[in-house]
Amino acid sequence: MPSNYSSSISSSQTQPTHAQPVSPHASHHDEENPSQAPPEKEQDEDEKNAYLVDWEPNDEANPRNWSTSYKSWITFQLGMLALSASLGSSIISPAEDAIMAYTHISSEVAVLPISFYILGFAFGPLLWAPVSEVWGRKWSMEPAVFCLGLFSIGTATSTSAASILITRFFGGVFGSAPVSNVSAALGDIWAPKARGTAVTFYAVAVVGGPTLGPVIGAALTVNKHLGWRWTEYVEAIWVFSIFAVTIFCLPELYGPVLLKRRAASLRKSTGNSAYWHPHENVKLDFKSIITQHLARPLRMLFTEPMVTCIALYASFVYALLYLTLEVFPIVFAQMRHYSLVISTLPFLGLFVGVLFAVLINLANQPRYMRIVDQNGGKPVPEARLPPMLVGGLLFAIGLFWFGWTAAPQFSWVLPTVAAAFIGAGFNVIFQQCINFLVDTYGLYAASAVSANTFLRSLLASAFPLVAKPMFNHLGVGPAMSILGGIACLALPVPLIFMKYGLRLRKMSKFTPVRD
């Protein structure tokens, strides 16, 4: 099977428009010049290729050729799907005390509904990624999102801690489908130079959920007519609403699936069974899941220095985002004695920082596009890294600032502004890490991103568990200083790859660089 139809998420980054474009209506050249006719085997091969269904130049059915306004509408829908899943990760966090009182569990166990949901994010992509490459983007996300809504209702109606944890875990498994596959879907419709802009706005949806969820959840929890169960009911309502819109308005985006459908349509309309497409032979089996979607990401995580360092950096900042779900209540509720709703409002400062990061990431786009043009249209991963220097600095400053202004004698404004620095730094680092991996690994980008997703979800599920013991025993200032110190140690990462990235890519067994 041609490599550009390989069962890998990253194939979505390279549309099949450049795969052997042979018109099915073309005549056979060997018949025109019999004296130079190839052997019979080559004739059969030519005849087969003559009926290979592919995109025509400027084909309107090719998602890359759709109008910018339509692709923007699709991007919005994809972002809302991702938001529906990411919102579910944190909307229940303000209900910890209510759940603890209802189920008679300890405060340590009350953190698990958050951790279990994020843990589902680690394992879900191992299933949804191959599904998206066999049956398409739409059908790898729509049924999963619907199941997320069902499990959200399951959590809302739970009567025991065990049922809450089980439904939350499977909610995370199914919710991971849009989170893991939307980036690939964006690659189906946007050219590489424009992908950075699309991913930047998509990231707001992914990161916006965890930052806005606590504010919404707190308002629902304190309402005497609603209560903690409505955090999950509202999540289900949002999920089903987005599902209803996308089931009718979101088209299939994956090129090989669309060409497979075209081949079937041509066979039916013409009665000619010779029309074909390679994706018709792609099947989903246990072996491919193990060898391609599990073994390869883990092998890259442990043998590729670029994947290891970038994944660790991205995972660290991502995990700290979920650490704030436990740290903010310590600072603003436990130490300052604010009410549940008021103590969650600083999460809006975090979200403002996330929005500010959009400006930083977009500011690098013109420079990146110029460098790509100079490189003959090929991605230049190192050109993604300068914003990471800015993001890393903002992130480290925010951590130290937050830690040493958290005490009640300081105005609430100071740690809230520090949270904005943390949010901005996080979003810049996280998005450029993902862009770097996608640009670097080409065909194997899916495995590189999967390795990152797996590691970051494991860390993010663990960090909320250690937050209360760490911050209550050490104090907010010292505990944040430890994390800030780690952030400072990571600052040279983009500089190292800016200097040695090309050399490392040439040494890698997975990167497409050969010159």
Side-chain angles (χ1 to χ4, degrees), residues 157-171:
T157 57
S158 293
T159 58
S160 67
S163 60
I164 291 175
L165 297 181
I166 291 172
T167 54
R168 285 288 292 174
F169 173 75
F170 282 104

Side-chain angles (χ1 to χ4, degrees), residues 29-339:
H29 67 277
D30 52 324
E31 294 177 356
E32 298 172 0
N33 191 1
S35 62
Q36 299 180 7
E40 182 178 349
K41 183 176 180 181
E42 293 186 13
Q43 288 181 346
D44 292 341
E45 188 67 23
D46 286 345
E47 183 176 359
K48 182 179 180 181
N49 287 339
Y51 289 94
L52 169 63
V53 176
D54 204 348
W55 300 124
E56 299 292 339
N58 302 316
D59 197 324
E60 293 183 358
N62 185 347
R64 286 280 178 89
N65 295 329
W66 294 344
S67 68
T68 300
S69 59
Y70 186 48
K71 289 193 289 187
S72 298
W73 164 235
I74 292 173
T75 301
F76 174 78
Q77 294 180 69
L78 293 172
M80 291 301 99
L81 283 171
L83 177 62
S84 68
S86 64
L87 183 69
S89 67
S90 64
I91 194 171
I92 201 173
S93 61
E96 284 183 17
D97 289 342
I99 294 175
M100 186 169 56
Y102 176 77
T103 58
H104 307 290
I105 56 177
S106 66
S107 59
E108 290 78 14
V109 177
V111 182
L112 292 179
I114 299 172
S115 294
F116 270 46
Y117 189 95
I118 306 169
L119 191 63
F121 276 14
F123 298 100
L126 300 179
L127 172 62
W128 308 124
V131 167
S132 77
E133 305 238 328
V134 177
W135 297 316
R137 310 301 188 199
K138 182 181 177 74
W139 297 112
S140 70
M141 293 187 285
E142 296 288 357
V145 167
F146 184 81
C147 290
L148 168 60
L150 294 180
F151 277 105
S152 297
I153 294 176
T155 302
T157 57
S158 293
T159 58
S160 67
S163 60
I164 291 175
L165 297 181
I166 291 172
T167 54
R168 285 288 292 174
F169 173 75
F170 282 104
V173 170
F174 286 101
S176 67
V179 172
S180 61
N181 288 342
V182 162
S183 58
L186 292 175
D188 293 331
I189 60 177
W190 296 104
K193 289 196 298 184
R195 188 188 68 232
T197 302
V199 170
T200 296
F201 287 106
Y202 149 74
V204 173
V206 174
V207 182
T211 57
L212 295 176
V215 181
I216 300 171
L220 295 169
T221 301
V222 300
N223 190 313
K224 62 180 180 179
H225 300 295
L226 299 176
W228 70 268
R229 296 183 186 277
W230 274 90
T231 61
E232 291 298 304
Y233 281 131
V234 167
E235 163 70 3
I237 292 171
W238 173 252
V239 167
F240 287 133
S241 298
I242 298 303
F243 172 82
V245 172
T246 56
I247 197 69
F248 294 108
C249 299
L250 183 67
E252 179 53 58
L253 306 171
Y254 191 41
V257 169
L258 296 175
L259 291 171
K260 172 185 174 181
R261 294 177 182 175
R262 175 178 284 186
S265 177
L266 285 171
R267 288 195 297 267
K268 182 177 180 180
S269 62
T270 65
N272 188 343
S273 61
Y275 291 103
W276 68 285
H277 187 268
H279 196 69
E280 295 177 285
N281 297 321
V282 176
K283 306 297 180 184
L284 182 64
D285 54 42
F286 181 77
K287 180 180 179 181
S288 66
I289 293 176
I290 296 298
T291 58
Q292 295 183 18
H293 298 282
L294 180 58
R296 184 188 293 156
L298 294 179
R299 185 151 57 102
M300 294 179 74
L301 183 61
F302 292 111
T303 63
E304 291 283 304
M306 287 180 289
V307 174
T308 304
C309 291
I310 292 295
L312 283 173
Y313 198 8
S315 299
F316 172 68
V317 298
Y318 185 82
L320 283 188
L321 177 68
Y322 284 95
L323 185 78
T324 61
L325 297 179
E326 299 300 318
V327 173
F328 278 28
I330 292 176
V331 172
F332 295 102
Q334 180 178 312
M335 295 172 58
R336 295 172 183 264
H337 307 292
Y338 292 165
S339 66

